[in-house]
Amino acid sequence: MEFGIFHEFYSTHSASQAEAFAQSFAQIEAAERWGLDVLWLAEIHMNPQRSLVSAPLTVAAAVAARTERIKIGTAVQILPLGHPLRLAEETATVDQVSRGRFILGAGRSGNPRGYAAYGVPYSESRERFYETLEILKKAWTETTFSYEGKYHSFNEARAVPRPYQQPHPPIRIAGASEDTFPTLGRLGYPLFVSVRSGSLMGLKPDLKAYRDAYDEAGHPGHGEVYLRLSMHVGDDDKQAFAEGEPSIMAGYRSLIERLEGSPNARRRAEVEEVRTITYEQVLRDKVVVGGPDRVVDRLKELEAELAIDGILFELNFGAAIPAEVMMRSLQLICEKVMPRFK
């Protein structure tokens, strides 16, 4: 199983934004030393209390310069908010700087506030996403290319530099809305999934729809699935439960507002459940928290039930876990959990 950390460069407990960046880079450098497979960078706008990663490709280049082995991905780059030619050049640059360690994780985001800030109607996000994705692949793989689309047109354009990886960096795409899963299966892309208001086992119908469409389209393999998972690991279960509760429950309280304004009908329908949810319910259905042995057992259950190929563990849902506690959780995952899946 692939193990990666999903990072937002949390700022809640830091004295300044500069300190938050320093703490986050220290965690990433530790992850490299401890043998973690992948770093995944979020793209989040308009929420400085939660995250400082509004420019993930800039951060990815800085990480590439500080590391030698760990892969570097976006989870996810919001394609409709970027100019496709510039995205092609910046992603290829990160791929060159990292010498082929870049993975493009792409999505549309469920946050209309970011779209409003950039002056892009969220109603256009689906069409813009697939158009930008098509342009990216042409720009990466063709010496010069022309394209005539609804939102972008190019005539004999040339993206510089070329990616280090040929024909291009790996692509994984986030699925959230019900109709997205079979679409991504038909297209043959590896899939990102996550759980906030739903349940982990509630992913099974969506993953079945994805893999059925993947198989029907004749793609090789079984359709790769990577799960973004809120986690906290302590030296034992009691410590982990106590350390994780304040941040995780704060995360669910803040989730209510995002669900109410979500363009996803499924998420809006889950608001009332989130309003009354208890920590015990969250531990049972939505997150993985505990000492190393408990976490290993739960991850093995998820691997068996959902046939996942990797996880993107999120160690600070709610953004209220101090940096040193998050660092210990990361160390335990790398040293006590990950080796039992390799």
Side-chain angles (χ1 to χ4, degrees):
M1 185 188 292
E2 179 188 271
F3 277 71
I5 184 171
F6 171 81
H7 216 304
E8 297 183 1
F9 279 53
Y10 311 96
S11 59
T12 306
H13 277 275
S14 302
S16 66
Q17 292 189 350
E19 182 180 84
F21 273 100
Q23 289 170 340
S24 298
F25 280 125
Q27 289 165 357
I28 292 163
E29 289 164 1
E32 161 102 342
R33 291 195 306 272
W34 293 331
L36 193 70
D37 297 322
V38 194
L39 163 71
W40 295 101
L41 294 167
E43 179 182 353
I44 298 174
H45 301 280
M46 309 289 290
N47 197 345
Q49 287 74 37
R50 173 184 170 189
S51 169
L52 300 179
V53 186
S54 59
L57 294 177
T58 302
V59 176
V63 171
R66 291 166 177 260
T67 58
E68 295 180 355
R69 180 201 52 80
I70 195 168
K71 293 181 180 180
I72 306 161
T74 53
V76 292
Q77 184 78 35
I78 305 172
L79 296 192
L81 297 186
H83 188 280
L85 185 57
R86 188 170 186 92
L87 283 175
E89 294 183 323
E90 291 185 352
T91 50
T93 298
V94 173
D95 199 43
Q96 286 287 351
V97 171
S98 67
R99 297 188 66 80
R101 290 185 282 142
F102 180 68
I103 304 171
L104 177 68
R108 293 190 290 138
S109 171
N111 182 7
R113 287 189 303 174
Y115 280 78
Y118 275 72
V120 177
Y122 193 82
S123 60
E124 298 176 358
S125 64
R126 185 184 299 271
E127 289 180 329
R128 285 181 176 271
F129 175 85
Y130 286 110
E131 182 170 301
T132 299
L133 183 62
E134 184 177 355
I135 294 167
L136 273 176
K137 292 172 70 175
K138 290 177 74 68
W140 280 337
T141 57
E142 299 179 16
T143 304
T144 61
F145 74 97
S146 298
Y147 182 87
E148 187 69 34
K150 183 174 181 179
Y151 301 102
H152 303 282
S153 298
F154 300 94
N155 182 33
E156 296 299 308
R158 182 190 297 265
V160 180
R162 315 293 295 169
Y164 184 93
Q165 299 175 85
Q166 294 297 315
H168 56 71
I171 300 171
R172 302 178 189 176
I173 298 180
S177 56
E178 194 169 359
D179 59 335
T180 301
F181 293 97
T183 299
L184 295 180
R186 286 191 295 272
L187 293 174
Y189 287 106
L191 176 68
F192 283 138
V193 291
S194 63
V195 166
R196 279 285 191 257
S197 49
S199 70
L200 289 165
M201 288 303 105
L203 290 171
K204 292 181 78 169
D206 291 329
L207 298 188
K208 184 179 187 303
Y210 163 73
R211 287 191 166 121
D212 286 348
Y214 187 98
D215 292 341
E216 289 169 7
H219 299 296
H222 71 293
E224 295 175 9
V225 173
Y226 298 87
L227 173 64
R228 194 183 85 191
L229 181 63
S230 295
M231 287 176 56
H232 180 68
V233 185
D235 290 289
D236 55 52
D237 292 350
K238 183 178 180 181
Q239 179 193 52
F241 295 156
E243 289 175 341
E245 181 173 6
S247 187
I248 289 171
M249 295 312 290
Y252 275 95
R253 287 191 295 273
S254 68
L255 182 61
I256 293 170
E257 181 181 352
R258 299 205 298 274
L259 288 174
E260 288 175 333
S262 174
N264 186 316
R266 181 193 293 188
R267 289 179 176 173
R268 290 196 304 273
E270 293 165 343
V271 170
E272 290 310 312
E273 177 192 350
V274 174
R275 285 188 200 281
T276 60
I277 201 163
T278 66
Y279 189 43
E280 290 72 22
Q281 290 172 315
V282 170
L283 290 176
R284 184 186 66 231
D285 297 332
K286 303 177 187 299
V287 304
V288 173
V289 176
D293 289 342
R294 177 187 173 94
V295 168
V296 167
D297 290 344
R298 185 63 174 128
L299 292 181
K300 287 189 178 293
E301 289 176 5
L302 293 173
E303 185 180 31
E305 290 287 334
L306 303 178
I308 55 175
D309 298 274
I311 59 170
L312 301 70
F313 52 81
E314 178 183 19
L315 297 185
N316 202 355
F317 177 47
I321 293 179
E324 65 274 11
V325 177
M326 185 176 165
M327 182 75 93
R328 178 59 177 162
S329 182
L330 172 62
Q331 182 178 11
L332 288 167
I333 290 171
C334 293
E335 295 183 351
K336 302 292 186 181
V337 175
M338 188 171 68
R340 294 170 68 177
F341 292 83
K342 298 296 186 182

